[in-house]
Amino acid sequence: MEKKKVQKLCGKRMPILLAAALLGSIGLAGCQNKAAQENQQAYRQLGINKLGEGSYEEAAEAFQKALDQSEAVVGEMEIDICYYKATAQYKAGDTKGALATCKALMDYDKENYKAYFLRGCIYLREEDRERTMKDYRKAFETSGNDFSLYVSAYENLKNAGWDSEAQEVLESAGKLKADKPEEHRELGRIYLLQEDYDSARKELDKAINEKDVKALLYMAQVYEGEGDTAQANALYESYISQNNSDVSTLAAMGDAKMQEGKYKEALGFYQQALTVENLPNEQQLRRNEIIACEQMLDFEAAREKMVAYRKDFPEDKDAEREYIFLQTR
């Protein structure tokens, strides 16, 4: 019993060379003390915050410092941090480092679908179609019914202009079986992306009948796609009233409304998101809030918000130039 407890506390140990590859440093194998655990969690959170701010190099450094607390013991926390580190390296443009971190994760766990997916994203940036699709397919194979993974791959490929590969991903996702409410919701989303509104509605209805609130969001998009703006707006309002702390969705909706030129609605979404505490992406949301005000020609509000923004985020040099512009309006 005591042996199991020790193993649970220490996590799974690895061969020392692989530990070095994953952690970036070699320490004595043993359980972390309380101080090391607290430091690790603090550095991990700092890294996540920096990712949200777009400070990718600083994020990668924070994640490495978190890993340095591990004392060559690798458990679920260290694997999680390594994935974040690879993401930060990738976004910072450190392709070589990100690929090395992904490989270490795969060497440790051949079924780590997140590592395969991230490496596929890196190969996509390198415009290596064969390796991109090979890793994406491997990620799908090992992830189970993770519809969101298919959607992310589709969006990445579509944005890269790889239409045939993007369509292949949607077709593969459409063959998955949905049993749970969230699976019906995500399958409905897949049909929505294919503009198969009848099939999307059937799947989303199943999710909504099981009280899946997020399905309301996609059903709103079905009505929007069919040109029924009134019904779409009613569903958007219903979704937000029931789920007003979903920051990522609120931000995405704000971005969508900005693209449509509906700046007042976009501003409402951004401001709703900003009411949530401990935002990981507060800086970006506040910049978007200012841009929405500018697009509405409400330059006085934009100036006031920019003054507060510059005080809280002095490292943003672009904001200085924009503030000078606002002073002339």
Side-chain angles (χ1 to χ4, degrees):
M1 188 69 156
E2 189 64 28
K3 183 178 179 181
K4 289 183 179 179
K5 186 184 291 185
V6 170
Q7 288 175 337
K8 185 176 181 181
L9 287 172
C10 292
K12 183 176 180 179
R13 290 207 178 92
M14 311 170 65
I16 195 69
L17 289 178
L18 185 51
L22 264 180
L23 304 179
S25 61
I26 300 177
L28 297 175
C31 296
Q32 291 170 283
N33 59 43
K34 185 177 180 181
Q37 288 178 337
E38 291 176 351
N39 287 339
Q40 184 178 67
Q41 291 172 356
Y43 280 124
R44 176 182 177 275
Q45 187 58 53
L46 175 62
I48 291 172
N49 292 343
K50 291 298 180 182
L51 264 180
E53 295 170 7
S55 302
Y56 303 125
E57 291 183 3
E58 293 179 42
E61 290 174 6
F63 291 130
Q64 182 56 55
K65 288 179 180 178
L67 293 170
D68 290 341
Q69 310 299 313
S70 300
E71 299 175 355
V73 175
V74 177
E76 291 182 5
M77 176 63 78
E78 286 70 31
I79 296 297
D80 176 72
I81 294 170
C82 281
Y83 178 70
Y84 274 120
K85 177 187 172 184
T87 302
Q89 290 172 308
Y90 157 62
K91 288 182 176 291
D94 181 8
T95 301
K96 184 177 180 181
L99 287 173
T101 304
C102 286
K103 185 177 186 304
L105 284 165
M106 293 169 188
D107 287 342
Y108 178 63
D109 180 5
K110 302 295 184 186
E111 303 300 306
N112 189 330
Y113 73 90
K114 290 183 179 180
Y116 284 104
F117 182 77
L118 179 57
R119 193 173 70 174
C121 293
I122 296 169
Y123 285 140
L124 188 149
R125 172 184 279 181
E126 299 296 301
E127 299 185 0
D128 188 330
R129 291 181 185 242
E130 183 177 350
R131 287 181 174 177
T132 296
M133 295 308 296
K134 181 178 179 181
D135 275 350
Y136 276 176
R137 293 185 190 113
K138 181 66 176 177
F140 300 150
E141 177 188 324
T142 54
S143 69
N145 272 21
D146 190 340
F147 288 92
S148 61
L149 199 69
Y150 286 83
V151 172
S152 294
Y154 164 79
E155 290 176 344
N156 291 345
L157 294 166
K158 192 73 175 175
N159 290 336
W162 297 6
D163 292 343
S164 61
E165 289 84 356
Q167 188 60 34
E168 175 194 326
V169 168
L170 285 186
E171 290 173 358
S172 296
K175 295 175 183 177
L176 298 176
K177 301 298 182 184
D179 295 314
K180 301 175 183 178
E182 62 270 21
E183 292 175 348
H184 286 296
R185 175 234 300 158
E186 292 302 322
L187 183 55
R189 186 184 182 188
I190 296 294
Y191 286 129
L192 173 62
L193 290 170
Q194 294 177 304
E195 298 184 2
D196 182 351
Y197 298 127
D198 288 338
S199 297
R201 195 191 313 277
K202 290 176 183 177
E203 294 297 329
L204 293 170
D205 274 335
K206 293 176 184 177
I208 291 170
N209 290 337
E210 293 293 327
K211 311 301 182 185
D212 187 302
V213 176
K214 196 168 185 178
L216 291 170
L217 177 66
Y218 300 134
M219 187 66 87
Q221 292 176 27
V222 169
Y223 280 105
E224 200 164 44
E226 293 177 330
D228 191 341
T229 304
Q231 185 62 32
N233 287 337
L235 285 168
Y236 281 133
E237 290 176 9
S238 177
Y239 172 77
I240 292 173
S241 69
Q242 297 179 61
N243 206 32
N244 60 10
S245 62
D246 184 348
V247 175
S248 61
T249 297
L250 289 168
M253 291 308 305
D255 293 344
K257 293 301 179 184
M258 286 289 285
Q259 291 179 2
E260 294 171 15
K262 299 176 180 178
Y263 306 121
K264 185 176 180 180
E265 292 178 39
L267 180 62
F269 283 119
Y270 294 141
Q271 291 181 335
Q272 180 66 50
L274 285 166
T275 64
V276 179
E277 296 183 0
N278 301 317
L279 286 170
N281 57 340
E282 178 184 356
Q283 182 176 4
Q284 186 60 53
L285 282 168
R286 287 176 62 181
R287 288 286 279 122
N288 290 349
E289 181 187 28
I290 293 167
I291 293 169
C293 288
E294 291 175 356
Q295 293 295 333
M296 293 168 61
L297 305 182
D298 188 351
F299 296 113
E300 182 177 352
R303 277 194 298 270
E304 290 177 0
K305 294 179 187 302
M306 180 60 81
V307 169
Y309 176 90
R310 289 172 64 234
K311 181 179 178 181
D312 293 337
F313 304 103
E315 72 281 0
D316 188 343
K317 303 305 180 186
D318 290 335
E320 179 68 25
R321 290 190 289 272
E322 191 167 344
Y323 178 67
I324 293 171
F325 163 76
L326 286 170
Q327 294 289 77
T328 68
R329 309 305 294 176

